[in-house]
Amino acid sequence: MAMMKIYSYRLRALLFSSPYRSFPSRSFSSSPFESVGFIGLGNMGSRMANNLLKAGYKMTVHDVNCNVMKKYSDMGVSTKQTPFEVAEASDVVITMLPSSSHVLDVYNGPNGLLRGGNLLTPRLLIDSSTIDPQTSRKLSVFVSNCTLKENKDNWEKPVMLDAPVSGGVVAAEAGSLTFMVGGSKGAYLAAKSLLLSMGKNTIFCGGPGNGSAAKICNNLAMAVSMLGVSEALALGQSLGITACTLTKIFNSSSARCWSSDSYNPVPGVMQGVPSSRNYTGGFASKLMAKDLNLAAVSAEEVGLKCPLTFLAQNIDGLHTRNITEYFAKLCLGQPLGFF
């Protein structure tokens, strides 16, 4: 109980304090960070890092995949064998990793970003992974208890932002991601131009963990709406209405949503989406299942009953290549039910 009180006190301090005295007089249209570290060069991370390179940032990168590391090394980008080495070479470090356990290992592992104890080189750590808000808040406390090796631009201490993204691989490639950012408002403003090198929108969500909370709420709403749109379109076809006609109705009526007008699950209705490619590519169902689990766990921790979350989490339609393939499963009459 005493430890929980200490943690709550430190979290409140993070919410209402600034990590620095003041930024020097400068426009936030130019980034105050010269060297950027990036850890996690998968489908999303590699495209985000590439856009930072295009924007002219001096980059240092790390990934567990040696082939990916060689690719960046051949491009003339500095590569490091550990997250700690990336931190030592960077003003700011961005992580884009698959899960909470990966993020914790990169931060707190034997060769992690925080291996140096209480002394840190980077002023800012940004985690763009989709993880639970509780982990984001704990890491934010850990980082805030560290001290900067060098007091640069009047920052008093290092700070962390949780900044997960929406838009998927296509938006990561195009540099049109939306960032949902939790943490210090001042650090958010300082990081904004950096984030806009990888995206088109940044939304400040409040204190530490609120970016992660926003992301899992967004993906919960998307999952439920996709399942509902898929079932409605399948029912409509069974009743004699074509999917194209019903989609037009949805998109000019109260049923309109991203699942109907931007990511339609019916083959032939829309080009450039997984349903037009035999359900290949797109947002993998296993990742959606992970995000639904994060939402369910978070709801349980705060004592909120979310029955649709439970239904979406457990429906076996998620055992497909991507969530839009649930429609095909319905139409083919494959067994549907719950785990």
Side-chain angles (χ1 to χ4, degrees), residues 46 113 125 155 173 239 246 263 290 324 335:
S46 61
L113 297 171
L125 300 172
W155 286 61
E173 180 84 35
L239 296 173
L246 200 51
Y263 215 66
K290 182 205 81 171
T324 61

Side-chain angles (χ1 to χ4, degrees), residues 130 164-168 178 180 203 205 210-226 258-259 283 288 291-292 295:
T130 299
V165 301
S166 180
T178 292
M180 296 156 267
I203 302 171
C205 302
N210 282 15
S212 295
K215 176 61 188 290
I216 63 173
C217 291
N218 178 78
N219 280 20
L220 167 60
M222 189 272 278
V224 171
S225 70
M226 179 59 76
W258 183 81
S259 300
F283 188 46
M288 178 55 71
D291 294 351
L292 285 170

Side-chain angles (χ1 to χ4, degrees), residues 276-287:
S276 70
R277 304 188 297 263
N278 193 31
Y279 298 103
T280 59
F283 188 46
S285 290
K286 64 180 181 180
L287 295 178

Side-chain angles (χ1 to χ4, degrees), residues 20 23-24 26-32 186-194:
Y20 41 77
F23 281 107
R26 69 166 75 191
S27 168
F28 284 114
S29 62
S30 62
S31 173
Y188 161 73
L189 291 173
K192 191 170 182 178
S193 61
L194 175 70

Side-chain angles (χ1 to χ4, degrees), residues 81 175 274:
Q81 294 301 310

Side-chain angles (χ1 to χ4, degrees), residues 52-68:
L52 290 173
L53 287 169
K54 291 175 187 176
Y57 285 99
K58 177 185 175 183
M59 299 283 292
T60 303
V61 302
H62 169 75
D63 194 89
V64 294
N65 188 323
C66 295
N67 292 329
V68 171

Side-chain angles (χ1 to χ4, degrees), residues 24 53 202 209 274 290-291 299 302 314 325 333:
L53 287 169
T202 64
K290 182 205 81 171
D291 294 351
V302 297
N314 288 280
E325 199 174 3

